[in-house]
Amino acid sequence: MPLRIGIDTGGTFTDLVVADGDRVHAAVKSLTTHGDLPRGTLNALAKAGVDGGEVERVVHGTTVALNAILTRRGAEVGLVTTMGYRDLLDMGRAWRPWEDALIDPRWRRPHELRPIIERHRRRTVPERVRADGETVVALDEDHLLAEVEKLVADGCESIAICFMHSYKHPGHEQRAAALVRERFPQLSVSTSADIAPFPREYSRFCTCVLNAYAQPLMDTYTAELEARLKESGYTAPLMFMTNDGGLIAPEQATARPVTTLNSGPVGGVMGAEMYARRLGIPNLVGFDMGGTSTDVAVVADGRASTERELELEHDLIAGIPVLEIHSIGAGGGSIASLDAAGGLNVGPESAGSNPGPACYGHGGTLPTVTDAFLLLGMLDPKVALGGEIPPDVDAAERAYAALGDQLGTTAGDLAKAVTEVAIHNMAEAVRQLTVYRGSDPREFALLAYGAAGPLVATQVARTLHMPRVVIPALAGVFSAFGLLGAKVFEEEVIPVMQTATDELAAEVFGRLREAGARLGTSAGLADVHLEFRLDGMYAGQRSELEALVDPTHADPLAHIREMFDAAHRRQFGYTLPADVFISTVRVRAVEAAAHEVLPTELSAREEGRPKGARDIVIGGDPHEAVPVYEVAALAPGQRIAGPAVVEASSYTAVIGDGDVAEINSVGDILVDVREA
């Protein structure tokens, strides 16, 4: 049977999962090779031992575009915009962070301090279309080309074209793009109407500019990855995961790299939705602790929550639909340090994979969370980290002793404190998407994945009074696993920008039905099903929320109200009596083929016995001779009482004192957590 491959390139490891039909065939981790990312992918493929000729699809999640933006290593970009809007990027949304900027006269916005586009590369042209579509000022084509000529002479290799009201009336942008591409074929060109056809001028401008900034780098990366895969015998189609859980072809990823910014973590959320369906646990909190960060996502009633923008830095946003993921700088590579007042910080700075934590033995000297796990016995000093790195316990000890001397404490006690701070930070990240939204975490199970997630999952759950932890069989490569469940889709966006009334609702549903009929036959997919989505808000709110709707419903307005109320209640815990304001509606044609994947079934056997024991510190409490099990030796239905350690090829799970874990038929670990 043809194979499918999911590849997630993270900040520390590149994870790869191979599916044979609906079963996992292989799963591996390999170090991410910064400076030559395709090499890390090829290393993982070689490690998996897959014959390229047997592969039918390769699905990739990558942070290439995201890292280019965050590190300001993107292209030389110029902006062409409507006269009078040159400084919109620096103005942002005209609000400041409360904590550190409200009354500071010296504070500057991130785009002012580290601009994506310098002011002299932001050029304006005479043109203006009103919101109702009336052309007030015709596009001055000669002026446009003259301004782009200056940008090219100044070294620009990518151009963003952003005009007022083009989300609904894109004619001027389309004409400008055609003229620029004809005169300057060497340039990459992004238009806001194509990249982000949504209202809100700043959001649309910023999204288009970020796209233009990342486009040349993504183009180079995609071309190189495709070429090197083909050289190695992998000729199957390469697909990229998008921020909202779909798949796009390389040419689409190159044209719209901004749609891939969060594609790696999104794979984990897709996997969480699969697990919610498979285990019959509709409410899950995805908890992904990797080498660089911890990502938290909520699946409620079987669906992941979504949002309409991804904020990369303060007021630096990608204003397109994205599965909601809250990230904090608390991963295995997070560095422990002291602040100006002598307090202990954990993250957000990370040691990454080069040099990595001190225990990697690659020259790192700063204490990290992974070093703490090793010193506390949570990780086995005799087992290679990620299957590739023999841990250097002495280096970890030296790193913690150096910081401990500054605090007047021992390396071991400092490692306990660092772990406690990290767990507190992670629990707070979960509260952000549950408690502070009106949801009770006690009604959710914690789905722990990432190489380090299962190490602390029961401690985080106990802090939040969550009754159950689920550790997937492929927890260490779960985001790559989730990529395999994604589907190709195409979408059409229809701007509305009006308060819902009976007349408007009927008109909108009619337009949705027409668009659905059109898209269903033109999407280029053999078999599709249609999804209809509404982006709206209660009158007086400022942020849209997505709701699924059925445009064949007999009472459109009542149906819109019912579905939007349900979506708002699911995400925020309450509803309002206010009218529903519709921003946009969207039609999505999704391939109908099922891509659900399961880990390999465990064979029936006698219950496995511990392979050994070691001393370990859990929740600050020392435990002697804690039994250590291997997942591969456990039997379906076997129960394990904590404290215990369970090891797999890509992760280590720590079961707390008083917790009870049960192994299911495919090797997932279901833990009943003792109440704190």
Side-chain angles (χ1 to χ4, degrees):
M1 184 174 289
L3 306 178
R4 286 177 291 123
I5 297 177
I7 304 170
D8 173 30
T9 301
T12 306
F13 286 100
T14 294
D15 299 337
L16 183 146
V17 175
V18 183
D20 184 354
D22 63 354
R23 291 288 173 177
V24 170
H25 173 74
V28 301
K29 297 181 76 71
S30 183
L31 280 173
T32 295
T33 50
H34 296 284
D36 184 8
L37 292 177
R39 181 163 62 88
T41 296
L42 295 174
N43 289 345
L45 286 166
K47 197 171 180 180
V50 179
D51 182 349
E54 298 178 352
V55 178
E56 69 172 0
R57 177 182 286 181
V58 178
V59 182
H60 187 28
T62 178
T63 55
V64 166
L66 177 64
N67 290 338
I69 294 167
L70 296 180
T71 60
R72 298 299 194 271
R73 294 178 182 172
E76 301 292 335
V77 182
L79 169 66
V80 177
T81 188
T82 306
M83 194 166 285
Y85 287 83
R86 183 180 190 182
D87 293 314
L88 186 63
L89 291 176
D90 287 341
M91 294 166 61
R93 292 175 289 189
W95 63 279
R96 295 179 168 211
W98 174 270
E99 315 84 60
D100 52 16
L102 188 62
I103 58 174
D104 183 356
R106 300 166 298 175
W107 183 79
R108 294 292 181 270
R109 299 181 184 282
H111 193 269
E112 293 176 289
L113 294 173
R114 297 195 304 153
I116 299 292
I117 304 179
E118 298 281 356
R119 191 173 190 273
H120 68 276
R121 286 179 170 172
R122 302 175 219 155
R123 318 298 295 186
T124 63
V125 299
E127 77 83 33
R128 188 60 183 263
V129 177
R130 294 195 339 177
D132 62 5
E134 179 185 348
T135 299
V136 179
V137 179
L139 174 64
D140 189 328
E141 298 182 358
D142 292 336
H143 191 113
L144 165 76
L145 293 174
E147 294 293 355
V148 177
E149 184 80 54
K150 295 173 186 176
L151 292 172
V152 171
D154 195 30
C156 291
E157 54 187 320
S158 186
I159 300 293
I161 301 174
C162 306
F163 293 154
M164 286 292 290
H165 301 301
S166 61
Y167 68 93
K168 195 169 186 178
H169 311 289
H172 279 186
E173 278 194 4
Q174 292 169 345
R175 176 59 180 163
L179 289 169
V180 172
R181 290 186 176 112
E182 180 181 358
R183 178 74 66 86
F184 308 100
Q186 77 277 18
L187 291 176
S188 297
V189 179
S190 298
T191 66
S192 71
D194 181 46
I195 302 303
F198 300 98
R200 299 180 185 274
E201 302 306 331
Y202 174 70
S203 173
R204 183 163 50 83
F205 278 40
C206 190
T207 306
C208 182
V209 165
L210 293 178
N211 194 81
Y213 189 66
Q215 191 172 16
L217 183 64
M218 191 69 169
D219 190 6
T220 300
Y221 171 73
T222 300
E224 184 176 358
L225 178 60
E226 279 197 295
R228 290 171 70 172
L229 284 172
K230 288 178 181 177
E231 288 174 5
S232 300
Y234 295 89
T235 58
L238 174 65
M239 307 297 291
F240 285 80
M241 174 69 91
T242 64
N243 299 328
D244 54 351
L247 297 180
I248 55 176
E251 56 271 20
Q252 295 170 297
T254 296
R256 299 180 179 85
V258 73
T259 64
T260 71
L261 294 178
N262 228 26
S263 62
V266 164
V269 181
M270 298 298 291
E273 286 192 336
M274 281 197 286
Y275 260 67
R277 290 190 293 269
R278 186 171 70 81
L279 297 180
I281 305 177
N283 296 333
L284 289 171
V285 173
F287 176 75
D288 177 9
M289 183 180 178
T292 306
S293 65
T294 293
D295 300 323
V296 176
V298 170
V299 174
D301 296 331
R303 284 188 60 212
S305 58
T306 61
E307 56 186 343
R308 270 293 307 276
E309 66 180 38
L310 175 65
E311 186 168 30
L312 309 180
E313 299 171 5
H314 173 74
D315 246 4
L316 191 65
I317 59 176
I320 51 180
V322 57
L323 295 183
E324 187 175 25
I325 300 172
H326 181 55
S327 298
I328 61 170
S334 294
I335 296 170
S337 61
L338 303 182
D339 61 24
L344 181 62
N345 282 335
V346 180
E349 292 80 14
S350 174
S353 61
N354 185 20
C359 64
Y360 279 17
H362 293 168
T365 59
L366 299 176
T368 70
V369 173
T370 296
D371 296 312
F373 290 161
L374 187 64
L375 294 178
L376 298 178
M378 298 169 73
L379 292 172
D380 190 339
K382 302 182 184 64
V383 175
L385 299 167
E388 295 189 3
I389 307 169
D392 188 335
V393 179
D394 291 339
E397 181 80 32
R398 289 192 298 270
Y400 267 85
L403 185 61
D405 288 344
Q406 299 180 51
L407 291 170
T409 190
T410 66
D413 285 342
L414 179 57
K416 292 180 189 178
V418 166
T419 303
E420 289 173 6
V421 170
I423 288 170
H424 169 79
N425 291 342
M426 295 168 194
E428 183 64 15
V430 175
R431 292 189 186 99
Q432 292 281 344
L433 295 186
T434 54
V435 176
Y436 304 156
R437 297 279 186 83
S439 297
D440 188 345
R442 293 173 296 183
E443 298 176 357
F444 290 77
L446 190 71
L447 180 71
Y449 52 96
L455 280 169
V456 297
T458 58
Q459 297 179 62
V460 171
R462 186 171 293 107
T463 301
L464 295 163
H465 305 284
M466 300 178 76
R468 171 163 280 200
V469 168
V470 178
I471 301 171
L474 298 170
V477 292
F478 193 71
S479 289
F481 167 78
L483 292 172
L484 296 173
K487 298 180 179 181
V488 178
F489 67 71
E490 293 192 21
E491 187 172 77
E492 182 175 329
V493 179
I494 304 171
V496 179
M497 295 299 289
Q498 295 183 61
T499 299
T501 62
D502 280 316
E503 183 179 358
L504 178 71
E507 177 190 343
V508 166
F509 274 20
R511 295 180 65 185
L512 281 173
R513 291 193 297 271
E514 292 173 4
R518 181 169 58 251
L519 194 59
T521 58
S522 65
L525 301 172
D527 186 18
V528 302
H529 74 267
L530 297 175
E531 296 177 355
F532 301 90
R533 298 164 186 252
L534 176 148
D535 300 315
M537 66 190 86
Y538 291 123
Q541 291 183 326
R542 60 176 296 272
S543 298
E544 293 95 341
L545 179 67
E546 175 188 281
L548 292 175
V549 294
D550 176 6
T552 65
H553 197 279
D555 189 340
L557 182 60
H559 179 64
I560 287 174
R561 183 72 202 211
E562 177 189 2
M563 300 306 289
F564 185 80
D565 281 350
H568 201 278
R569 185 182 298 106
R570 181 172 58 248
Q571 189 145 337
F572 299 110
Y574 67 96
T575 62
L576 291 175
D579 292 334
V580 176
F581 180 87
I582 304 174
S583 173
T584 55
V585 289
R586 294 177 279 140
V587 184
R588 179 175 294 181
V590 186
E591 66 175 326
H595 293 313
E596 296 283 313
V597 181
L598 294 172
T600 304
E601 290 274 353
L602 296 180
S603 58
R605 52 180 172 241
E606 293 184 0
E607 291 192 353
R609 304 179 68 83
K611 71 171 187 176
R614 64 172 180 265
D615 296 344
I616 185 173
V617 176
I618 306 174
D621 298 324
H623 298 272
E624 296 182 354
V626 171
V628 179
Y629 297 84
E630 285 188 339
V631 170
L634 298 177
Q638 183 170 346
R639 294 169 65 85
I640 298 171
V645 176
V646 182
E647 295 180 344
S649 60
S650 62
Y651 72 88
T652 298
V654 173
I655 312 301
D657 190 9
D659 300 339
V660 178
E662 182 173 345
I663 313 303
N664 70 7
S665 63
V666 297
D668 301 326
I669 305 174
L670 310 179
V671 186
D672 290 325
V673 179
R674 171 184 56 83
E675 179 63 38

